[in-house]
Each structure stands twice: as C-alpha cells, then as structure tokens.
C-alpha cells in the first residue's frame, strides 16, 4: 500500500498481522477516488470513518487535507499512531470509536467535513441492516458534511444503497470489480 502522490509520495504502509484480517481497498479504486478529488487537497477537511490500514486518509493527508482517521480496533489504531509519528504527519488526528458513536461526537464538537469516506467491513451489520447503509443514513441526518460536500461509500456490488437519504443524494455509482463506489453529494 503505497502513497501515490503529495508530501508522502512513495511511502509504504507496512503490512502486518494486525492488517491481515481486513479487506484492503484496491489500488485501482484508491487511484480513482483521488483522481476524482484531485491532486491538491490543501485545506480540505477529510474524515475516514472506518480507516483500517489508513491508506485512504493518509493519501488525502499527503495531498494537503486535514484528516481525521477513525479506527475502532485498538491494535490497528496503535499502528496508525506509530506510522503518523514515524512519518511526522501533522494534519492527521486519529480517533478510536465505533463509527456510529463518532458521528454524534464530531457533530457535538461542531466539526464539518468536505469529504467523508465510508468503508466499513462489508459483512458488518447494525439493527440487522448493512452497516454502510446505517452509517450513510446517520450522516445524512446530521451536520458533519459541508454544503456540497461528498460522502464516498465503498461497498460490495450486491448492495443497493438508497438513491436519496436525508440531505444526501446519490450523484454517481462507479463499479470496480465486485466493489462499488457510491458517491453522494450533500444537497443545500
């Protein structure tokens, strides 16, 4: 998992047993996300709600974004903290909450993000529904996403998230093998 461009270009997120149990975002999908967002993200606020290895959020930070990485697993969170310290990355905050718990906490703090990246484990559920849909609806009912901000939802191809929910409307669906990137925009 290599950082493609920006200040951290060429650095590699080390593989470890801690990361062995998670599904990693493909290089092709990561490149497509950042091709869409652009090479320069200076000043943009970016929330990686289910960070895992941190590759998406760290790529955003490399391009100048102010990033919040959230990883509820304490081992993966500790690895992220070590990596950020070793790389001397300043514009990254690491949190360790369940995503559904972090959303209201960040709202209470008055935080707003131009981009929220949502990629929970595909098999995860909450209230007997896919976690990605539950979190998307929670985001859509809240105030975390800036006007005209984006929610990028990575999910398995079989899942059909809603075309519209709360303040978010589906803008585009992009297939990448058995993975889909659903792009939502906050309606003003």
């Amino acid at each position: 998992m290599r950082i493609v461009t920006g200040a951290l270009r060429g650095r590699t997120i080390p593989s470890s047993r801690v990361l062995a149990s998670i599904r990693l975002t493909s290089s092709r999908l990561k490149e497509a996300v950042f091709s869409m967002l652009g090479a320069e993200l200076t000043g943009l606020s970016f929330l990686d709600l289910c960070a895992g290895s941190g590759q998406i959020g760290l790529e955003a930070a490399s391009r100048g974004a102010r990033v919040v990485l959230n990883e509820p697993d304490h081992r993966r969170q500790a690895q992220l903290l070590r990596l950020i310290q070793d790389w001397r990355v300043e514009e990254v905050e690491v949190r360790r909450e369940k995503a559904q718990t972090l959303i209201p906490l960040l709202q209470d703090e008055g935080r707003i993000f131009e981009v929220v990246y949502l990629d929970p484990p595909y098999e995860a559920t909450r209230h007997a529904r896919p976690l990605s849909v539950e979190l998307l609806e929670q985001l859509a009912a809240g105030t975390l996403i800036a006007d005209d901000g984006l929610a990028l939802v990575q999910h398995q191809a079989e899942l059909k998230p809603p075309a519209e929910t709360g303040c978010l409307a589906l803008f585009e669906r992009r297939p990448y093998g058995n993975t889909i990137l659903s792009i939502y925009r906050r309606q003003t």
Side-chain angles (χ1 to χ4, degrees), residues 29-147:
L29 177 54
K30 182 175 79 168
E31 288 175 19
V33 165
F34 287 99
S35 175
M36 175 185 67
L37 293 176
E40 181 59 45
L41 303 179
T42 299
L44 187 93
S45 56
F46 190 103
L47 171 61
D48 189 347
L49 200 51
C50 307
S53 70
Q55 68 171 321
I56 298 295
L58 289 169
E59 185 73 46
S62 182
R63 296 165 187 245
R66 293 181 321 274
V67 176
V68 174
L69 294 172
N70 181 58
E71 177 49 52
D73 181 272
H74 74 280
R75 295 166 303 150
R76 289 192 291 267
Q77 190 236 16
Q79 182 170 329
L80 287 170
L81 287 168
R82 279 190 306 275
L83 188 62
I84 289 165
Q85 182 180 5
D86 290 349
W87 288 2
R88 294 184 173 96
V89 181
E90 295 180 8
E91 293 292 326
V92 176
E93 174 187 350
V94 180
R95 305 286 287 257
R96 192 182 90 186
E97 304 284 346
K98 289 186 175 185
Q100 63 269 24
T101 303
L102 183 63
I103 292 170
L105 290 175
L106 291 172
Q107 287 176 165
D108 289 348
E109 294 171 13
R111 305 286 288 271
I112 296 176
F113 297 90
E114 281 86 16
V115 179
V116 176
Y117 197 84
L118 180 56
D119 178 21
Y122 288 175
E123 69 283 353
T125 60
R126 184 167 182 245
H127 302 125
R129 298 177 66 214
L131 182 58
S132 57
V133 173
E134 285 280 316
L135 294 174
L136 177 67
E137 290 175 355
Q138 190 178 5
L139 285 168
T143 58
L144 272 187
I145 301 176
D147 290 345

Side-chain angles (χ1 to χ4, degrees), residues 11-30:
R11 297 203 184 184
T12 301
I13 297 169
S15 297
S16 71
R17 289 185 302 175
V18 172
L19 298 178
S21 63
I22 63 172
R23 173 191 40 77
L24 299 172
T25 298
S26 72
S27 296
R28 183 173 158 229
L29 177 54
K30 182 175 79 168

Side-chain angles (χ1 to χ4, degrees), residues 131-176:
L131 182 58
S132 57
V133 173
E134 285 280 316
L135 294 174
L136 177 67
E137 290 175 355
Q138 190 178 5
L139 285 168
T143 58
L144 272 187
I145 301 176
D147 290 345
D148 289 328
L150 299 174
L152 307 177
V153 184
Q154 182 180 331
H155 58 88
Q156 71 272 34
E158 299 79 33
L159 181 66
K160 303 292 185 224
E164 210 171 283
T165 179
C167 66
L168 296 174
L170 184 63
F171 176 71
E172 186 177 356
R173 286 173 47 96
R174 295 182 179 182
Y176 298 92

